[in-house]
Amino acid sequence: MAEISATLDLADRTREADQPHSPVVRFPDSKPLRLDAGIDFFPLQIAYQTYGTLNEEHTNAVLVCHALTGDQHVVNRHPVTGKSGWWETMVGPGRPIDTERYFVICPNVMGGCMGSSGPASTNAATGTPWGLDFPVTTVRDMVRAQAMLLDHLGIDSLFAVAGGSLGGMQVLQWAASYPERVFAALPIATATRHSAQNIAFHEVGRQAVMADPDWRGGRYFTEGTNPRRGLAVARMGAHITYLSDAALHRKFGRRFQDRDNPTFSFDADFQVESYLRHQGSSFVERFDANSYLYLTRAMDYFDLGADYDGVVAKAFRGTPTRFCVISFTSDWLFPTPESRAIVHALNAAGARVSFAEVTTDKGHDAFLLDEPELFTIVSGFLEGAARARGLKATRR
Amino acid sequence: MLSRLKHDLTMAEAARGPGGSRVDLLEVAGMVEEGARVLDVGCGDGELLRLLETRGVDGRGIELSREGVNECVAKGLAVVQGDADTDLADYPDDAFDFVILSQTLQATRSPRVVLEHMLRIGRHAIVSFPNFGHWRIRLQLALGGHMPHTDNLPYAWYETPNIHFCSIKDFRQLCRVSGAKIEKAVALNAWGRRMRLKMPWWFWNLFGEQAVFLLSRQAG
């Protein structure tokens, strides 16, 4: 732990935000991003990773959309933490999203802190990080920025767009905004709008960040502080929502941490406490507190139907995209009825849709974990789509 | 539903057609026009949808069992997990050319509602079901005095998912009250083979083990 925190002070954070350890596109001022907030944002910067090779016909590109605290480093060693990528179970050679067959692109979302424009990026006008002067962005803004990236890379249409949670929201937005550019869509453990309960959880997290005196109204970069405690508490609370009662009980039960009896104090007596504290403290080493505020806000604002007279089906009317919606039995953050609502809307729109619920006790985070049933479904869906698209099986 | 279908498949193993498919499924598939849009309600492991896709049909499925759905999706079929009784209401009018209910009608809570939704969603409905009017079933109840047990209906009464059995005669009556026009009807004998001779309805009702009906909405 000490080694990692030693390598990541605030200066490193802004450096990763401005000059990331990944390819980056810096759009000129003449190519602004029109935000839902009504602002033309420039200069826009998008950091991304790619894996595999784009075929000659440009028909094998798969866009992977990351979740709230993810980033573009899907299957490579993370430049900050040194850990392996966040979706190595799903993406890679011979994996369901096979990098020997598909060209995988994953951009860091707008508002993130790993190289795409966000509150930790330097505001060219002031020479200091944006902080709360950064405009509030939406899922639709993220997707528009990604479309600009694809234009830049010369990719007209995507073979597939895949992602879980916030990533799944982006998948749905992609299919709604650019139906002709998306051949197949894989929204996993997600919803067409963020529920009141989820907004409530996010608000608790944001309040934890803002209650930390080191947050300094979002100006901690310039004041030389870092709201570690606030962000750690936010992460601890959120992390519980990513798991399930059953999973927590299976992993920790009521077991004590390195002791046989309670200490009659407020130490981390229980393993589950120790685990959460570790989740909190390791998170603040790699994530920007203001980014956390912006990205949770983007999720809260997400309501696909609202843009279409409150009828989600209208967002997909006549869509040529084929969908595979997946949920998990123990996910209480984005429970199965949310996925069913997506399916109902797609059915009403006459879309070609598959829907499967995977049995697991691992909660919302199951989409990131080793779930063989999930992999079989994704492989089968993509295989069927590849046949329909006429993609050759290029595996050696 | 899947385990039942699997059982049916084993039972019908002897009666397989040249393509290795269940004969009643071949019968159903034969009623579907090439290139049509099809919804298979209670599609099991997707055998019929696979068969239809080889004929250029744009097929979708609904299946109750999670295992069945996951198996279908892994095969690349467009299948959603759902319940014929509750989820057909979500489909818009005239969304499909054919809506198929194969060996599932007797397991629904409201067969009439299901059939009416099928006729609303699709231009045509195809329904196949085990005929409860078959002589062996009549005999078991009349002389044996117990609920019928056959290769096609292997469950004990206390664990059967089949809650709404009907005979061919009963089904024709349902068609009348639901405003369904019978375009074509086929009865299959105990070996799953089509009963060849043009026979009166009472004969089919007595000797047909299964029936396949092609229906359309009554004009007006």
Side-chain angles (χ1 to χ4, degrees), chain B:
Chain B
M1 209 165 274
L2 180 73
S3 60
R4 195 197 67 233
L5 184 65
K6 277 202 175 131
H7 186 92
D8 286 357
L9 286 175
T10 332
M11 288 300 149
E13 197 71 42
R16 279 187 175 260
S21 295
R22 241 172 64 198
V23 173
D24 72 311
L25 292 188
L26 289 173
E27 206 59 62
V28 170
M31 293 179 176
V32 175
E33 291 160 15
E34 230 167 81
R37 284 170 54 85
V38 170
L39 177 66
D40 184 4
V41 183
C43 63
D45 65 358
E47 184 175 6
L48 177 61
L49 283 173
R50 283 270 263 218
L51 185 64
L52 289 172
E53 290 208 337
T54 61
R55 302 179 180 189
V57 163
D58 178 12
R60 314 283 164 82
I62 300 180
E63 169 57 31
L64 189 59
S65 85
R66 190 174 291 136
E67 303 80 30
V69 175
N70 295 0
E71 206 175 318
C72 287
V73 178
K75 284 177 188 165
L77 300 168
V79 170
V80 302
Q81 205 213 342
D83 187 333
D85 275 304
T86 52
D87 295 351
L88 291 181
D90 298 319
Y91 288 82
D93 297 358
D94 297 313
F96 295 93
D97 299 314
F98 293 85
V99 181
I100 298 169
L101 191 69
S102 145
Q103 303 291 327
T104 303
L105 181 74
Q106 74 282 358
T108 62
R109 270 193 303 283
S110 318
R112 180 177 175 174
V113 177
V114 168
L115 184 65
E116 286 174 357
H117 271 306
M118 291 174 68
L119 291 163
R120 176 186 64 79
I121 297 167
R123 283 196 299 122
H124 300 280
I126 301 174
V127 182
S128 79
F129 59 91
N131 173 27
F132 218 61
H134 189 262
W135 66 270
R136 275 168 57 197
I137 289 174
R138 295 192 200 191
L139 215 58
Q140 287 191 36
L141 194 57
L143 299 183
H146 59 81
M147 286 301 281
H149 237 220
T150 70
D151 286 351
N152 271 334
L153 309 170
Y155 294 101
W157 67 270
Y158 44 81
E159 58 188 12
T160 180
N162 300 323
I163 52 176
H164 278 125
F165 279 122
C166 66
S167 66
I168 290 175
K169 188 174 178 182
D170 292 328
F171 185 75
R172 290 181 69 212
Q173 191 228 342
L174 174 65
C175 290
R176 264 195 304 279
V177 297
S178 302
K181 184 176 156 212
I182 299 170
E183 305 227 319
K184 194 178 173 190
V186 175
L188 304 176
N189 66 17
W191 301 275
R193 302 234 184 272
R194 187 196 282 228
M195 295 170 69
R196 289 184 186 284
L197 297 171
K198 185 72 190 160
M199 289 292 176
W201 283 107
W202 68 262
F203 185 87
W204 280 20
N205 200 27
L206 197 55
F207 294 105
E209 269 224 333
Q210 297 182 57
V212 185
F213 277 73
L214 171 64
L215 311 171
S216 65
R217 229 172 293 158
Q218 201 80 262

Side-chain angles (χ1 to χ4, degrees), chain A residues 225-237:
Chain A
T225 58
N226 189 2
R228 290 167 172 278
R229 287 159 167 278
L231 184 58
V233 170
R235 173 64 170 179
M236 289 167 76

Side-chain angles (χ1 to χ4, degrees), chain A residues 324 329 340 343-344 347-348 350-357 359 373 376-377 380-381 387, chain B residues 37 53 58-60 66 69-70 73-82 87 90-92:
Chain A
C324 180
T329 49
R340 277 194 192 285
V343 173
H344 289 170
N347 275 332
R352 185 186 164 92
V353 54
S354 302
F355 163 59
E357 184 187 32
T359 311
E373 207 180 340
T376 325
I377 292 165
F381 172 70
R387 271 198 307 274
Chain B
R37 284 170 54 85
E53 290 208 337
D58 178 12
R60 314 283 164 82
R66 190 174 291 136
V69 175
N70 295 0
V73 178
K75 284 177 188 165
L77 300 168
V79 170
V80 302
Q81 205 213 342
D87 295 351
D90 298 319
Y91 288 82

